[in-house]
Amino acid sequence: MKSKKDSLLVGGFISTAGIFITKLIGLFYMIPFSQLIQDKMIYYSMPFNVYSYVLNIATAGFPFAIASLVARYYNNKDYRTTLMIKNLSRNIMILCGCISMLFMILCSNVISNIQIGKEHAYLLKNSYILLSIALFFVPVLSAGRGFYQGLKEMEIYAISQVLEQLIRVAFLLGASAIAIYVFHLNSIWAAYFGVLSTGISAIAALLHLHYYDRKKMKHLKQKAKEQTADTSHTKSALLKELFHMSFPYLLMAALGYSDMIINSLFLNKGLAAFGFESSLIESISGSINGPIQKLMSIPMVLALGFSAAIIPHISIHLANKDWENVRKNIKECLSSVLFFAIPLSFCLFVFAKPIYYVMYDGGELLPIYADILRWYALEAFINTILPIFNAFMMAGGLMRLNIRNLSIFTLIKLSLTYPFIAWLGYSGSVISTVIAALVTILLSMYALHKHFHYSFHELLPSLVKILLCSFGIYITSLLCIQIGLKGYDSSRWISFLQLGITCVISMIVYILLSCVCKLPQTIFGIHPSQLIHQLKHRNK
């Protein structure tokens, strides 16, 4: 019987829970922070697009490569090599952090002038310089998390992320409030403390991992001393192996996140060509790059969580040539993600207006913002599924095929984005992403079927049932509106309560319908009656 540590589903859920909590904190801190930052939000949100892209390239897939190698050598009881990977990867990430930080500082002026024009470029430049501090510490942090991910210590992985977000939000809100309400400074300082908080929280998370290192490494070092089998691995050989594994991840990061950069390049110009006025374009762009992206991240945490859990499991099964368990992992992971991603994305679509009103108000533009969120709920679902297939392909040793697929994704997205936005408005951005992603997913499905003989037809019955159960959410929302639970025509606190009641009822309906369709039994191997019996027995 598998231990909890050896279960892909348990690891995926633990990792997802940690990321979900961090995203939830990230959603709710924006309510008070928006009051502090006022009209300076652009100086806080805009630098993170470039930061995220540089960070993905700076880390160059090393966390995934570290996790894969650690999982392989630790599983083979080669503890000396495992420790060598930890030390080597930390030093590499320190170097990458230095280079990326210097790049951000040196290019901050040029980027700011391109993004916002010369008049206010110096304000944006300051944000980039403060954010560059995080580019040094976050890569080092990612190396530590990749190491524990490879050991399948997903609890440490998850706690580290939650702690980082808590400290980030505490510093961000506390420092901003003191600056504005105590020292009566301009609201631009809220933006500055906001970007600075990313580096501060990364330092705190590093100290947290160092605390675990003192406990965990003592045991690992003892095993390394007792190891009888000799290891022929040298630092140069491991360095070569790390770069060999991480380089495809570097290309994957550059291509896989290209839609974000492409959208930022063409969104405003496309909306202008569509016929929107400049003031409306600024509002729509600000909403998409800020609130909409945060709300989209709710279902997308599933991709991050399960992608993190997939790597060590499939790496071990491939090393052992255990093809049956590789196919089992694919089925478990995809069916679990679909079970949660479809209803969560559907909730964003159905409750778009009350969700946006409760979280961000929206004012007179609320109907437009709600319509944007409905469209981007579709992109949220696609962006949840696509990284899962990327993780399958990379962990499954199909790196070249995955790079090819993502190159096709980038070319389609690049060629369709501007004409689609100019033709259809903001929905064109979503449609171009969906078309590019569907092509990539179909190519990945074909590759996985060809190399691992996995038949995706096995997922069809569960998929149909999940869709039917999700439709129950829509029916529930209509009934709740009929009894006055609209969630957007009262004060924000009253609307929050109405939305909460409606969402809870909708989720209960979805869970009950899924139990009737026997989805928990099929996907997770859990029988509701057995679970209730265990809970009753535990409480006695």
Side-chain angles (χ1 to χ4, degrees):
M1 186 176 178
K2 283 185 177 182
S3 68
K4 285 186 178 180
K5 188 175 176 180
D6 290 329
S7 170
L8 170 62
L9 291 180
V10 171
F13 284 129
I14 290 173
S15 178
T16 298
I19 300 170
F20 181 77
I21 293 170
T22 63
K23 296 297 183 182
L24 203 62
I25 296 169
L27 280 174
F28 284 103
Y29 88 82
M30 285 301 296
I31 298 174
F33 187 59
S34 61
Q35 300 297 318
L36 293 168
I37 201 168
Q38 297 176 14
D39 60 340
K40 300 297 191 300
M41 180 64 76
I42 192 172
Y43 301 105
Y44 169 75
S45 60
M46 188 170 282
F48 278 101
N49 285 335
V50 176
Y51 162 81
S52 298
Y53 198 71
V54 173
L55 179 64
N56 285 319
I57 295 175
T59 53
F62 268 98
F64 295 101
I66 293 164
S68 298
L69 290 178
V70 168
R72 184 198 307 168
Y73 289 113
Y74 187 81
N75 185 65
N76 292 334
K77 296 181 172 52
D78 191 347
Y79 305 115
R80 294 175 190 170
T81 303
T82 303
L83 285 172
M84 200 183 299
I85 293 168
K86 177 177 173 57
N87 295 328
L88 189 62
S89 61
R90 182 191 59 220
N91 294 334
I92 293 170
M93 286 295 94
I94 288 173
L95 178 62
C96 290
C98 286
I99 294 171
S100 58
M101 180 178 68
L102 289 172
F103 172 81
M104 180 78 93
I105 292 172
L106 293 173
C107 296
S108 59
N109 189 54
V110 175
I111 297 170
S112 300
N113 278 292
I114 293 172
Q115 287 186 319
I116 206 169
K118 293 184 179 180
E119 186 179 354
H120 300 291
Y122 71 99
L123 296 174
L124 191 60
K125 177 185 175 182
N126 293 337
S127 292
Y128 273 111
I129 291 172
L130 290 171
L131 189 56
S132 67
I133 296 171
L135 280 174
F136 174 77
F137 291 103
V138 174
V140 183
L141 176 62
S142 69
R145 285 176 177 164
F147 179 78
Y148 282 107
Q149 180 187 349
L151 295 179
K152 299 181 186 175
E153 297 282 359
M154 302 311 292
E155 295 91 343
I156 298 175
Y157 185 91
I159 291 169
S160 173
Q161 291 177 317
V162 173
L163 179 68
E164 181 188 10
Q165 183 73 320
L166 284 171
I167 292 172
R168 176 174 173 265
V169 170
F171 177 84
L172 176 150
L173 293 177
S176 299
I178 291 170
I180 291 169
Y181 295 131
V182 177
F183 293 101
H184 306 289
L185 297 176
N186 190 281
S187 59
I188 188 64
W189 284 93
Y192 291 160
F193 284 123
V195 293
L196 181 62
S197 66
T198 307
I200 298 295
S201 60
I203 294 170
L206 276 170
L207 294 174
H208 168 259
L209 284 187
H210 179 68
Y211 166 75
Y212 274 104
D213 281 347
R214 292 175 63 185
K215 296 171 64 178
K216 298 288 181 181
M217 290 305 104
K218 186 178 180 181
H219 178 65
L220 190 59
K221 286 176 181 177
Q222 184 61 36
K223 282 188 172 184
K225 286 181 180 179
E226 297 171 356
Q227 181 177 325
T228 55
D230 195 18
T231 177
S232 59
H233 295 90
T234 62
K235 286 187 178 180
S236 59
L238 281 176
L239 185 64
K240 183 178 180 181
E241 194 169 5
L242 273 170
F243 275 105
H244 177 74
M245 289 191 69
S246 63
F247 184 71
Y249 283 104
L250 165 62
L251 294 177
M252 188 188 81
L255 297 170
Y257 292 92
S258 60
D259 61 323
M260 179 177 63
I261 297 297
I262 293 169
N263 285 338
S264 65
L265 288 173
F266 295 121
L267 182 63
N268 287 16
K269 294 178 180 178
L271 292 175
F274 180 73
F276 283 134
E277 295 180 358
S278 58
S279 58
L280 184 57
I281 291 172
E282 187 175 339
S283 299
I284 291 174
S285 179
S287 176
I288 291 172
N289 289 319
I292 299 293
Q293 292 291 336
K294 288 188 175 293
L295 292 169
M296 284 172 61
S297 68
I298 296 174
M300 287 165 61
V301 298
L302 292 163
L304 297 172
F306 274 87
S307 295
I310 288 166
I311 302 297
H313 286 273
I314 291 187
S315 296
I316 291 171
H317 295 322
L318 283 174
N320 297 332
K321 297 183 178 179
D322 188 352
W323 311 118
E324 184 178 347
N325 268 319
V326 170
R327 290 190 289 271
K328 183 181 177 183
N329 285 164
I330 292 173
K331 183 180 180 180
E332 283 183 347
C333 187
L334 270 179
S335 57
S336 301
V337 170
L338 288 171
F339 181 80
F340 292 104
I342 291 175
L344 284 173
S345 301
F346 197 63
C347 279
L348 281 182
F349 176 84
V350 172
F351 303 115
K353 194 170 184 179
I355 287 174
Y356 202 99
Y357 174 71
V358 167
M359 298 302 301
Y360 307 106
D361 191 353
E364 60 183 14
L365 294 178
L366 178 61
I368 294 177
Y369 293 149
D371 189 53
I372 295 171
L373 181 55
R374 290 188 192 98
W375 277 103
Y376 275 85
L378 176 60
E379 184 168 327
F381 173 72
I382 288 294
N383 285 342
T384 303
I385 302 302
L386 181 58
I388 297 294
F389 278 95
N390 290 339
F392 284 147
M393 296 286 284
M394 299 300 279
L398 305 177
M399 297 177 180
R400 290 184 179 179
L401 285 176
N402 196 47
I403 298 301
R404 181 207 65 183
N405 294 350
L406 289 173
S407 298
I408 293 171
F409 169 83
T410 301
L411 288 172
I412 295 174
K413 175 65 181 173
L414 185 63
S415 61
L416 294 183
T417 298
Y418 177 78
F420 270 49
I421 296 175
W423 174 35
L424 301 168
Y426 46 76
S427 61
S429 173
V430 175
I431 294 170
S432 62
T433 300
V434 170
I435 292 172
L438 285 176
V439 171
T440 307
I441 289 171
L442 289 172
L443 289 171
S444 298
M445 288 172 66
Y446 175 75
L448 292 169
H449 172 70
K450 181 180 178 181
H451 287 83
F452 301 121
H453 307 291
Y454 178 73
S455 176
F456 287 91
H457 291 97
E458 296 178 23
L459 288 171
L460 278 177
S462 295
L463 178 60
V464 172
K465 291 177 182 178
I466 292 169
L467 290 170
L468 289 173
C469 293
S470 297
F471 189 71
I473 296 173
Y474 178 67
I475 300 299
T476 304
S477 69
L478 294 179
L479 293 174
C480 287
I481 289 174
Q482 292 301 314
I483 62 174
L485 297 175
K486 292 184 178 180
Y488 56 84
D489 59 350
S490 305
S491 68
R492 289 174 71 182
W493 283 110
I494 297 296
S495 298
F496 175 75
L497 291 173
Q498 292 178 351
L499 177 62
I501 293 169
T502 306
C503 287
V504 168
I505 295 172
S506 299
M507 286 296 102
I508 291 172
V509 169
Y510 176 76
I511 292 169
L512 290 175
L513 289 173
S514 67
C515 290
V516 171
C517 295
K518 297 183 179 180
L519 284 170
Q521 298 95 310
T522 304
I523 296 173
F524 309 112
I526 299 173
H527 197 285
S529 60
Q530 292 176 347
L531 184 62
I532 293 168
H533 176 74
Q534 289 177 4
L535 290 173
K536 285 181 178 179
H537 182 73
R538 183 177 292 180
N539 291 330
K540 287 182 179 180

